Amino acid sequence: MESFALHSLSTSTSFSLSSSRFSLHHRSRPIMTNRSQLSLPLNPQSRSNPSPKSPLISQVFSFPSKASKFNTSSRPHYSPLHASSSSSNSPSPPPLQGAKPIPFVISVCIGLIVRFLVPKPVEVTPEAWQLLSIFLSTIAGLVLSPLPVGAWAFLGLTTAVVTKTLTFGAAFSAFTNEVIWLIVISFFFARGFVKTGLGDRIATYFVKWMGKSTLGLSYGLTFSEVLIAPAMPSTTARAGGVFLPIIKSLSLSAGSEPGNPTAKRLGAYLVQNQFQSAGNSSALFLTAAAQNLLCIKLAEELGVIVSSPWVTWFKAASLPALVCLLVTPLVLYKLYPPEIKDTPEAPALAAKKLETMGPVTKNEWIMVSTMLLAVSLWIFGDSLGIASAVAAMIGLSILLVLGVLDWNDCLNEKSAWDTLAWFAILVGMAGQLTNLGIVTWMSDCVANSLRSFSLSWPASLAVLQAAYFLIHYLFASQTGHVGALYSAFLAMHRAAGVPGVLAALALGYNTNLFGAITHYSSGQAAVYFGAGYIDLPDIFKMGFVMFVINAIIWGGVGAFWWKFLGLY
């Protein structure tokens, strides 16, 4: 999801293997899960062959010297990142400051071309056309990244105010949006899960229960994420803070190391499976990913009201998502098979880790109770008159009062505040485009084109959903994609005769499913690709294969299920 940077969230537990015994070593690990601008303070040296990809999660595994199956040369160590070779006396060039020239010029030119060279349609006002040009320039910057996302969005907002396209109040109106604040608070919940170790404990229990075979291990990890997802609304945090450390520990104990041929023994399959399954875990629950909440909010702005949104979202997603979650590990087991089929040591390894972790701590119990309260309020809040954002505020307040989180934890969650800035700007612009009639005009144009082909609304639904999905190859952010295109595509669906609630939910589910098609398509994509176990061609190949399989299941099973639920 999202442009994330989760820094030093918690202390993780690493596994190491010595003879027939398992010894566990605790080590703090910084977590870097930025979506598009990845910055690593350290350069992990590969265990054997250099890896072209730097892992986003620094994990240190120490192995005892006696009777160890791994020699000391296989142990990762960390050294500072040097700017130049020691043999070179010439000073290195200073780093580029400010915007990247070529992406900057291209992004600005796109807006200028639309504003001054493309003829304005007669149905569109000059103010609306000018705002559209600024918005398109902003979206181009999100793709090309001349500046960090927040900085570029701020430039777009400033341009809209300076040119008097928007008033100051209209430009900043989305900063009071409840959904955006719910997204911000979800970052803090994710930090609480990782800081307390609760997410790690839950996943380790599933490894203990289901980890005797590689296939069982993959199902255990997949369904542990399903269990955590509704109360941990960040796919990136789940990937970086919980599942990748466990996968790396298990893989290394089996002699499967990143960046060399042994990666295929176990690690590549487990990483690929968790990566491809995460989209369905996020699609299953409204609160499993921040972009889901935004979809519901944008749909409301277009007059599509989803009653009891948490329950409706879950009911509509339950059957197709669960079928996909059951199918994905098996499909990858056949098409992307691990060399190791049985992992009899994994349950013992997990049991030893749980023993070292000790009993459930007070903070973990507080985290469990708080999230049960928050999820209950998200489900039943409408009948109680408590909005979702207010429920999240109550949960965060409890965590702060009881000391599970402190205010420095919130302040240090820079990605949350960055998201507040750029996301509010995008949502505000998109809302103003709707108010000024741009979205209606665009949807009418597309609907007329579809009618010229005499397409029924189910066929139009399929075409528009496919277009919405495939466009994501140009995006490096799920939330950015939603902010840029969700409203326009929903309006196109409605103009083509697709039932509003069905269109809104289908687009929302699609938003999660395209998070695994490339190594840059989502926050979790950056995390899993950076681990060094899966290669770039494999990501694109398996991403496309799973896109086809997910499309068949969601299109077939989903259509039947949604008809049964009365969504159309």
Side-chain angles (χ1 to χ4, degrees):
M1 150 191 138
E2 324 87 17
S3 188
F4 295 118
L6 303 172
H7 300 283
S8 304
L9 293 180
S10 73
T11 300
S12 81
T13 306
S14 306
F15 298 112
S16 64
L17 180 63
S18 174
S19 295
S20 61
R21 298 180 57 199
F22 301 107
S23 59
L24 286 82
H25 303 269
H26 292 281
R27 188 80 177 207
S28 63
R29 51 181 167 78
I31 298 176
M32 294 293 296
T33 57
N34 197 331
R35 299 243 318 117
S36 52
Q37 295 88 22
L38 303 176
S39 173
L40 295 174
L42 300 175
N43 182 25
Q45 306 298 317
S46 67
R47 296 170 179 78
S48 53
N49 298 331
S51 172
K53 302 176 285 294
S54 298
L56 298 176
I57 298 182
S58 302
Q59 181 103 355
V60 176
F61 299 87
S62 57
F63 299 96
S65 58
K66 65 172 186 174
S68 176
K69 294 185 180 179
F70 305 101
N71 59 42
T72 56
S73 65
S74 70
R75 293 162 57 185
H77 62 278
Y78 299 90
S79 60
L81 186 65
H82 297 287
S84 63
S85 170
S86 58
S87 62
S88 176
N89 295 324
S90 59
S92 59
L96 180 66
Q97 293 183 328
K100 301 172 188 176
I102 295 178
F104 178 85
V105 171
I106 294 174
S107 300
V108 171
C109 285
I110 287 174
L112 293 175
I113 289 171
V114 172
R115 174 65 180 85
F116 295 106
L117 298 182
V118 176
K120 180 184 74 64
V122 294
E123 303 92 339
V124 178
T125 65
E127 179 187 13
W129 194 247
Q130 184 159 293
L131 180 59
L132 177 63
S133 66
I134 296 171
F135 183 74
L136 292 176
S137 183
T138 304
I139 297 304
L142 295 184
V143 176
L144 300 175
S145 299
L147 284 171
V149 173
W152 186 253
F154 184 77
L155 261 64
L157 187 70
T158 302
T159 303
V161 174
V162 169
T163 58
K164 301 187 185 304
T165 307
L166 296 176
T167 64
F168 188 89
F172 284 87
S173 60
F175 280 83
T176 59
N177 188 304
E178 290 184 6
V179 170
I180 292 175
W181 279 101
L182 178 55
I183 292 170
V184 171
I185 295 173
S186 75
F187 282 85
F188 305 146
F189 286 160
R191 177 174 283 266
F193 259 89
V194 181
K195 181 180 179 181
T196 61
L198 178 60
D200 194 22
R201 184 184 296 274
I202 293 172
T204 305
Y205 268 113
F206 274 86
V207 173
K208 178 184 176 181
W209 296 331
M210 304 177 67
K212 290 184 179 180
S213 68
T214 301
L215 186 60
L217 186 59
S218 66
Y219 276 110
L221 292 169
T222 295
F223 282 95
S224 64
E225 180 160 7
V226 172
L227 182 63
I228 295 171
M232 193 175 184
S234 168
T235 316
T236 308
R238 298 196 298 268
V242 178
F243 292 101
L244 185 57
I246 292 175
I247 290 172
K248 289 181 69 176
S249 299
L250 293 167
S251 301
L252 288 168
S253 72
S256 179
E257 301 183 3
N260 67 46
T262 62
K264 298 288 187 180
R265 295 189 68 189
L266 181 64
Y269 168 72
L270 291 180
V271 169
Q272 187 75 262
N273 175 72
Q274 205 68 23
F275 179 35
Q276 296 297 335
S277 299
N280 283 290
S281 300
S282 296
L284 186 55
F285 304 101
L286 176 62
T287 51
Q291 63 266 15
N292 298 348
L293 303 164
L294 180 63
C295 291
I296 294 297
K297 180 63 178 178
L298 293 175
E300 289 179 359
E301 292 180 355
L302 288 176
V304 179
I305 307 299
V306 180
S307 60
S308 301
W310 203 98
V311 176
T312 301
W313 182 288
F314 173 73
K315 285 199 310 183
S318 57
L319 187 59
L322 289 173
V323 171
C324 286
L325 288 166
L326 290 171
V327 167
T328 297
L330 187 59
V331 168
L332 292 174
Y333 193 77
K334 298 295 184 182
L335 300 182
Y336 194 73
E339 296 174 3
I340 296 176
K341 306 298 183 181
D342 298 309
T343 55
E345 74 282 359
L349 195 63
K352 185 66 175 177
K353 178 179 178 181
L354 289 168
E355 180 182 339
T356 304
M357 293 175 73
V360 179
T361 64
K362 181 187 74 172
N363 282 353
E364 287 179 273
W365 282 119
I366 294 172
M367 194 73 205
V368 169
S369 302
T370 302
M371 295 317 301
L372 286 175
L373 173 63
V375 171
S376 298
L377 291 176
W378 286 332
I379 296 173
F380 304 109
D382 283 350
S383 59
L384 299 174
I386 300 176
S388 296
V390 176
M393 292 169 64
I394 293 171
L396 178 59
S397 298
I398 293 172
L399 297 179
L400 290 170
V401 169
L402 298 181
V404 176
L405 293 174
D406 58 44
W407 191 240
N408 282 332
D409 290 323
C410 298
L411 292 177
N412 291 333
E413 196 63 49
K414 295 180 181 178
S415 54
W417 305 112
D418 182 55
T419 299
L420 171 64
W422 72 265
F423 213 19
I425 291 171
L426 273 187
V427 172
M429 283 189 180
Q432 293 301 320
L433 285 173
T434 301
N435 294 337
L436 293 172
I438 283 288
V439 172
T440 301
W441 167 74
M442 292 177 63
S443 63
D444 288 342
C445 292
V446 173
N448 290 334
S449 298
L450 292 175
R451 289 192 194 100
S452 68
F453 293 100
S454 301
L455 294 180
S456 62
W457 74 256
S460 298
L461 172 66
V463 170
L464 290 171
Q465 291 289 328
Y468 183 74
F469 187 101
L470 294 173
I471 287 174
H472 194 66
Y473 279 101
L474 303 176
F475 279 87
S477 167
Q478 289 169 286
T479 48
H481 189 144
V482 172
L485 298 177
Y486 182 89
S487 295
F489 268 83
L490 179 55
M492 294 175 198
H493 279 75
R494 296 188 69 193
V498 181
V501 173
L502 175 62
L505 293 175
L507 287 170
Y509 301 145
N510 224 345
T511 298
N512 293 284
L513 299 178
F514 57 46
I517 57 174
T518 68
H519 62 298
Y520 57 84
S521 57
S522 60
Q524 66 270 22
V527 173
Y528 287 127
F529 176 68
Y533 279 100
I534 47 180
D535 296 325
L536 198 59
D538 290 336
I539 286 185
F540 277 87
K541 180 175 69 175
M542 298 314 302
F544 184 79
V545 168
M546 293 313 302
F547 153 59
V548 174
I549 292 173
N550 284 328
I552 293 172
I553 294 174
W554 280 87
V557 176
F560 161 78
W561 183 237
W562 298 332
K563 177 71 172 178
F564 175 77
L565 293 176
L567 292 179
Y568 67 93

